[in-house]
């Protein structure tokens, strides 16, 4: 009865080898002359920008070259399992976020792409800022970026003569005004405070904004349960009186829904979701939402947001076998076909692309705003996701006040301290 | 039957069961007593990308001469079982409060106990009602009643969530009669929501099994009861229900096994807030903690939990089987 979960929403989209030679040669000339290769398997999350890349890669299919691009919400898990497999990885390449990149890199499961970039980089006009280098070696090619920014109802802010908030305190003040003065808004703030990933990501943003960090020095010992952690939870709680009581189950989808239905007037949300505000089929607030840098959690702090990138990587395990080098080269061409200037131009508004040819519209300013407001890169420690996971577990109790913030964070730190030993980051 | 023929007939099934059931179970048991981790080293590296260049001190797996990351594996015995159960309380009080197993078990049992009677009673009521519907309408009604069971659990849970979340149909309708409930805001309503989903999703299964059973109720016994002056209730109580009894046990057995593994509605409806289940914890250990070994221990404990819950039902079936012979 329940075994169908991971099939839901997933779909392998293979293109048959029946695609014509000439069409493929036109779509991607680089792979047209490389002979019979068989099947190249790629994987990525199922959202619009990656679907766009998948379609471009699939256009290279021809007799002798089958392209299957698996688009699934479980891409992270499948990629990590595939890249860790004892034999050759079932996927020749994957699209990953920077958090997953950090884990894969730390486990030495990624193949360097330097030689391929040197050989073909000019052909695809790869820009230096797309190349994710570690000590000079290209380990990933970034194509899109993301961050959190403040969404706000410009019409209501104008109507009530409210200034765009720059801190959480100003946000709470503006929300208090709207709660009393604006009859259409019962809960002015909408933000992803759901248990787990969403609230832990908010905590991470706010913690950085108040000047705190997750770890002590360069080590893996926890520091997120220090004074700044408690301060971060207090800042998050200061917004809760203005949020729906359902906030602890509100993920990004629910926040988008609250904005689109005109039930919330402001909140911090992923920049990549901005275009949905003007989706006339689902939104009642078309043209009324504006975007600004995420407010700082405290006066003088940095913007409570982090910078993310998504990129393509290849597994080290694919390098086995006689045809390994050729397969790697073909997979590279397929992906570059999806990341080319033409591909970006054709899907300009699908995401915030890294390429300089990208033309940010009304919805594409999030990353620039966050960078200007001092947002940092998402933490790259390979043990970060373990701490993030434990924090996400305890936040509901701390946010409702059921447990003091310090006690909740101490519990998360204690659990994390054990996990980090199990995973070998700290010696027992 | 000769031993040779017996073995010949049963060998394919036995091989399949050993390969697909026993072996994975033994492997899971073995994995639950192991732990493997990479041997990490502290490195300072220069990282560059879309957001500029920075010097980072981080950890990275050591590699051997062949360029392969070095892994260290060891036996941990029952350590992961103790950890999942929260019995490793050497680290003090913070440990106990962080352990989610017991609250998760409590909610899982609440879900099992909360859904099973409604699934059985609702399924039976629906089957009895359907038995009275005219032949022409039966096809339509049966197809409609089966829909919740056919829908993928995640999609079904999403549909329920959208009905009950802010601006959803249910809160909207309730607001017209002056009732305002935020279903995901407190424990009782969040838990009730998951139970409602469970009943809605599984009821059609009970219904279709009972409906099939009703078709086999001996008509002569019913007619005899009618001649003897039995009321409709008495016919149900003394003829129909005893006939359906083995099916009630069967549905209860399947549902208890299934309900103990409740996962999708927890993930979709509340993301675990107030409703962490045993299976959700296994998922957390596997994906968030990235630890297949500890997740194996959690999985074995789930099997043990199901086995314990099934003991009364299995005993009943066993007795009936023996009586049958």
């Amino acid at each position: 009865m329940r075994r169908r979960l991971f099939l839901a929403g997933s779909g392998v989209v293979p293109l048959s080898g029946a695609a014509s030679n000439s069409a493929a040669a036109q779509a991607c000339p680089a792979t047209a002359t490389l002979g019979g290769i068989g099947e190249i398997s790629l994987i990525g999350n199922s959202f619009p920008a990656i679907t766009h890349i998948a379609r471009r890669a699939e256009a290279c299919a021809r007799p002798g070259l089958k392209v299957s691009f698996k688009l699934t919400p479980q891409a992270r898990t499948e990629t990590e399992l595939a890249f860790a497999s004892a034999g050759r990885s079932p996927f020749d390449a994957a699209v990953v976020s920077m958090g997953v990149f950090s884990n894969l890199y730390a486990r030495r499961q990624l193949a360097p792409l330097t030689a391929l970039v040197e050989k073909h980089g000019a052909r695809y006009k790869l820009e230096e800022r797309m190349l994710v280098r570690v000590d000079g070696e290209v380990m990933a090619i970034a194509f899109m970026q993301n961050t959190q920014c403040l969404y706000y109802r410009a019409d209501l802010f104008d109507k009530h003569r409210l200034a765009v908030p720059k801190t959480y305190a100003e946000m709470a003040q503006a929300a208090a005004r709207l709660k009393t003065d604006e009859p259409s808004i019962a809960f002015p703030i909408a933000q992803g405070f759901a248990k787990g990933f969403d609230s832990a990501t908010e905590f991470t943003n706010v913690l950085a904004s108040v000047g705190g960090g997750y770890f002590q020095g360069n080590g893996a010992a926890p520091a997120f349960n220090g004074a700044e952690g408690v301060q971060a939870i207090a800042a998050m709680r200061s917004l809760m009186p203005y949020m729906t009581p359902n906030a602890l189950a509100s993920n990004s989808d629910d926040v988008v829904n609250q904005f689109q239905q005109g039930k919330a007037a402001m909140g911090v949300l992923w920049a990549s979701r901005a275009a949905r505000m003007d989706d006339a089929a689902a939104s009642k607030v078309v043209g009324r939402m504006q975007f600004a840098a995420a407010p700082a959690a405290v006066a003088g702090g940095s913007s409570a947001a982090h910078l993310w990138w998504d990129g393509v990587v290849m597994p080290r395990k694919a390098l086995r076998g006689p045809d390994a080098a050729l397969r790697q080269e073909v997979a590279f061409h397929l992906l570059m076909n999806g990341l080319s200037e033409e591909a970006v131009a054709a899907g300009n508004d699908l995401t915030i692309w890294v390429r300089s040819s990208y033309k940010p519209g009304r919805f594409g300013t999030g990353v620039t705003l966050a960078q200007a407001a001092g947002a940092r890169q998402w933490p790259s420690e390979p043990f970060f996701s373990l701490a993030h996971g434990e924090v996400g577990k305890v936040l509901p109790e701390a946010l409702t006040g059921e447990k003091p913030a310090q006690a909740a964070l101490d519990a998360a730190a204690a659990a994390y301290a054990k996990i980090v030993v199990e995973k070998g980051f700290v010696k027992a | 039957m000769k031993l040779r023929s017996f073995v010949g007939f049963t060998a394919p099934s036995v091989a399949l069961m050993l390969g697909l059931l026993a072996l994975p179970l033994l492997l899971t048991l073995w994995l639950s007593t192991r732990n493997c981790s990479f041997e990490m080293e502290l490195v300072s590296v220069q990282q560059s990308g879309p957001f500029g260049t920075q010097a980072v001190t981080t950890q990275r797996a050591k590699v051997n001469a062949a360029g392969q990351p070095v892994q260290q594996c060891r036996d941990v015995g029952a350590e992961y079982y103790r950890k999942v159960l929260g019995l490793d309380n050497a680290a003090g009080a913070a440990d106990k409060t962080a352990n989610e197993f017991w609250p998760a078990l409590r909610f899982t049992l609440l879900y099992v106990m909360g859904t099973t009677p409604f699934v059985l009673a609702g399924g039976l009521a629906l089957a009895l009602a359907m038995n009275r519907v005219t032949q022409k309408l039966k096809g339509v009604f049966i197809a409609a009643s089966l829909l919740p069971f056919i829908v993928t659990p995640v999609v079904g849970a999403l549909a329920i969530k959208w009905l009950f979340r802010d601006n959803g149909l249910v809160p909207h309708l309730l607001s017209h009669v002056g009732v305002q409930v935020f279903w995901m805001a407190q424990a009782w309503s969040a838990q009730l929501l998951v139970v409602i989903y469970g009943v809605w999703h599984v009821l059609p299964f009970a219904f279709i099994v009972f409906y099939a059973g009703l078709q086999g109720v001996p008509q002569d016994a019913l007619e005899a009861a009618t001649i003897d002056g039995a009321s409709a209730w008495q016919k149900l109580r003394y003829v129909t229900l005893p006939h359906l009894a083995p099916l009630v046990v069967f549905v209860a057995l399947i549902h208890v096994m299934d309900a103990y593994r409740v996962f999708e509605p927890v993930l979709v409806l509340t993301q675990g807030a107030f409703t962490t289940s045993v299976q959700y914890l296994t998922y957390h250990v596997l994906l968030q903690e990235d630890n297949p070994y500890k997740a194996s221990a959690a999985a074995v404990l789930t099997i043990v939990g199901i086995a314990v819950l099934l003991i009364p039902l299995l005993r009943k079936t066993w007795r009936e089987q023996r009586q049958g012979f």
Side-chain angles (χ1 to χ4, degrees):
Chain A
M1 275 171 247
R2 310 195 171 282
R3 271 155 232 136
R4 286 162 292 185
L5 167 68
F6 292 110
L7 299 176
S10 72
V12 187
V13 196
L15 258 183
S16 74
S20 80
N21 251 335
S22 59
Q26 210 176 0
C28 38
T31 57
T33 54
L34 288 174
I37 292 124
E39 183 175 355
I40 297 287
S41 295
L42 311 162
I43 184 169
N45 261 317
S46 48
F47 57 80
I50 300 180
T51 308
H52 176 68
I53 292 166
R55 297 288 168 266
R56 306 272 308 188
E58 285 164 356
C60 300
R62 59 173 167 77
L65 172 60
K66 189 175 168 188
V67 181
S68 93
F69 205 125
K70 184 170 187 178
L71 295 167
T72 160
Q74 300 294 332
R76 175 194 166 163
T77 316
E78 290 201 35
T79 303
E80 291 196 353
L81 285 173
F83 281 34
S85 69
R88 190 159 97 172
S89 160
F91 297 109
D92 297 280
V95 179
V96 296
S97 71
M98 62 186 295
V100 181
F101 167 81
S102 301
N103 291 346
L104 294 173
Y105 174 75
R107 296 178 205 146
R108 313 295 279 260
Q109 287 164 347
L110 296 179
L113 307 174
T114 320
L116 287 166
V117 167
E118 280 170 4
K119 193 170 168 190
H120 304 293
R123 172 181 207 144
Y124 296 105
K125 298 183 188 153
L126 288 179
E127 298 167 29
E128 184 56 37
R129 58 194 297 267
M130 294 173 75
L131 306 178
V132 177
R133 291 182 189 269
V134 182
D135 281 346
E137 285 273 29
V138 180
M139 302 306 295
I141 298 171
F143 61 89
M144 61 172 271
Q145 42 200 338
N146 205 355
T147 186
Q148 298 85 8
C149 60
L150 179 74
Y151 287 48
Y152 67 97
R153 280 278 296 276
D155 56 332
L156 296 181
F157 272 64
D158 286 347
K159 181 179 163 190
H160 297 281
R161 299 191 178 169
L162 293 168
V164 179
K166 295 235 172 355
T167 63
Y168 271 39
E170 290 176 14
M171 217 170 143
Q173 280 166 13
R177 276 279 307 283
L178 287 171
K179 198 166 172 137
T180 50
D181 297 352
E182 177 55 47
S184 68
I185 303 279
F187 304 111
I189 297 177
Q191 218 154 302
F193 273 28
K195 183 176 179 174
F197 179 85
D198 298 88
S199 56
T201 300
E202 290 290 337
F203 173 82
T204 309
N205 292 337
V206 175
L207 182 66
S209 180
V210 301
Y214 259 76
F215 308 108
Q216 294 173 21
N218 291 325
F224 57 80
N225 55 336
E228 290 90 355
V230 175
Q231 198 185 351
I233 288 182
M236 288 173 78
R237 286 193 72 183
S238 72
L239 302 185
M240 288 194 65
Y242 310 105
M243 297 166 81
T244 166
N246 282 336
L248 294 181
S250 284
N251 58 25
S252 300
D253 287 331
D254 301 313
V255 173
V256 166
N257 177 267
Q258 286 165 49
F259 285 145
Q260 285 180 332
Q261 294 300 308
K263 299 290 184 188
M266 72 186 102
V268 175
L269 180 65
W270 292 100
S272 56
R273 290 177 179 250
R276 300 186 197 191
M277 296 300 116
D278 278 6
D279 176 1
S283 176
K284 292 179 180 169
V285 294
V286 174
R288 289 190 247 164
M289 274 299 196
Q290 270 303 342
F291 313 97
V298 287
S302 60
S303 170
H306 277 95
L307 304 168
W308 290 61
W309 55 257
D310 278 33
V312 296
V313 291
M314 288 190 180
R316 187 180 279 268
K317 290 279 168 63
L319 291 176
R320 292 179 183 176
D323 61 341
L326 178 64
R327 291 179 64 85
Q328 204 191 29
E329 193 160 354
V330 174
F332 183 82
H333 284 303
L334 295 176
L335 288 168
M336 290 309 110
N337 205 47
L339 308 183
S340 64
E341 276 192 344
E342 299 75 50
V344 169
N348 189 72
D349 294 330
L350 290 175
T351 187
I352 304 165
W353 299 93
V354 177
R355 271 194 186 278
S356 51
S357 63
Y358 163 62
K359 296 181 185 65
R362 195 166 101 75
F363 308 115
T365 52
V367 174
T368 322
L369 290 168
Q371 240 176 331
R376 288 181 242 167
Q377 278 196 57
W378 186 247
S380 64
E381 293 89 348
F383 35 82
F384 170 74
S385 57
L386 303 176
H388 186 258
E390 290 312 304
V391 168
K393 253 168 133 178
V394 302
L395 277 175
E397 288 171 311
L399 289 173
T400 53
E402 199 181 315
K403 198 183 261 188
Q406 185 68 61
L409 288 174
D410 284 347
Y416 161 79
K418 283 190 217 166
I419 295 168
V420 90
V421 171
E422 290 161 9
K423 297 296 294 174
F425 293 112
V426 170
K427 293 271 179 281
Chain B
M1 192 184 285
K2 281 183 189 164
L3 182 67
R4 203 181 144 80
S5 317
F6 177 77
V7 171
F9 278 118
T10 53
S13 310
V14 171
L16 274 176
M17 284 174 74
L18 285 177
L20 298 177
L21 292 173
L23 191 66
L25 196 61
L26 286 175
L27 266 175
T28 309
L29 262 175
W30 180 69
L31 279 176
S32 69
T33 62
R34 304 269 301 161
N35 187 52
C36 292
S37 59
F38 291 107
E39 199 172 316
M40 306 302 286
E41 59 183 356
L42 202 64
V43 288
S44 294
V45 290
Q46 199 77 9
Q47 271 188 5
S48 61
F51 310 121
T53 305
Q54 56 181 11
V56 182
T57 303
T58 184
Q59 290 194 24
R60 194 166 69 179
K62 280 183 190 168
V63 288
N64 59 21
Q68 298 300 319
V70 181
Q71 262 200 322
Q72 282 186 332
C73 294
R74 65 189 175 93
D75 284 319
V76 295
E79 186 186 319
Y80 278 148
Y81 290 92
R82 284 198 297 274
K83 280 185 172 168
V84 172
L85 294 172
L87 302 176
D88 60 325
N89 40 17
D95 230 359
K96 279 185 199 160
T97 53
N99 185 272
E100 278 195 294
F101 182 80
W102 298 105
L105 182 68
R106 198 162 53 230
F107 173 67
T108 306
L109 291 176
L110 177 91
Y111 179 81
V112 174
M113 303 304 170
T115 51
T116 309
F118 288 103
V119 164
L120 292 175
L124 189 63
L126 205 58
L128 288 169
M130 192 66 69
N131 220 16
R132 290 170 167 268
V133 172
T134 56
Q135 200 63 34
K136 273 186 190 167
L137 291 174
K138 271 185 182 165
V140 180
F141 279 138
I142 290 176
S145 332
L146 284 180
L147 265 181
F149 191 57
I150 296 166
V151 172
T152 311
V154 171
V155 176
L158 267 177
I160 297 279
K161 176 171 180 174
W162 291 343
L163 279 177
F164 284 85
R165 74 175 174 186
D166 288 39
N167 323 318
L169 186 65
V170 176
H172 179 73
L173 292 177
L174 285 176
S175 70
H176 284 302
V177 291
V179 179
Q180 198 177 29
V181 181
F182 292 93
W183 289 85
M184 295 128 194
Q186 57 274 317
W188 72 266
S189 54
Q191 294 177 353
L192 180 63
L193 201 56
V194 177
V195 169
I196 289 173
Y197 165 84
V199 174
W200 173 80
H201 181 59
V202 189
L203 196 116
F205 168 67
F207 150 67
I208 202 76
V209 173
F210 292 147
Y211 182 68
L214 281 179
Q215 308 315 303
V217 174
Q219 289 303 310
D220 47 355
L222 283 172
E223 281 162 15
T226 311
I227 293 165
D228 287 346
S231 65
W233 163 250
Q234 284 169 326
K235 279 191 279 184
L236 176 69
R237 170 73 185 81
Y238 296 107
V239 182
T240 310
L241 284 183
H243 179 78
L244 292 182
L247 292 179
V248 173
V249 175
F250 165 73
V251 171
L253 205 81
I254 298 287
H255 178 62
V256 165
M257 277 195 283
D258 202 38
Y260 194 81
R261 292 178 286 122
V262 57
F263 175 64
E264 293 92 336
V266 170
L267 188 69
V268 174
L269 290 168
T270 59
Q271 294 195 205
F274 313 114
T275 56
T276 303
S277 71
V278 171
Q279 188 77 340
Y280 183 84
L281 277 191
T282 309
Y283 161 83
H284 181 92
V285 173
L286 186 63
L287 293 189
Q288 294 298 319
E289 297 185 19
D290 188 26
N291 191 335
Y293 308 99
K294 201 201 268 183
S296 297
V300 170
L301 286 171
T302 303
I303 296 170
V304 171
I306 293 174
V308 169
L309 277 181
L310 290 187
I311 285 172
L313 290 165
L314 286 175
R315 273 184 58 175
K316 188 171 164 51
T317 316
W318 174 249
R319 277 201 208 122
E320 278 167 9
Q321 291 285 331
R322 277 168 57 114
Q323 279 168 7
F325 288 110

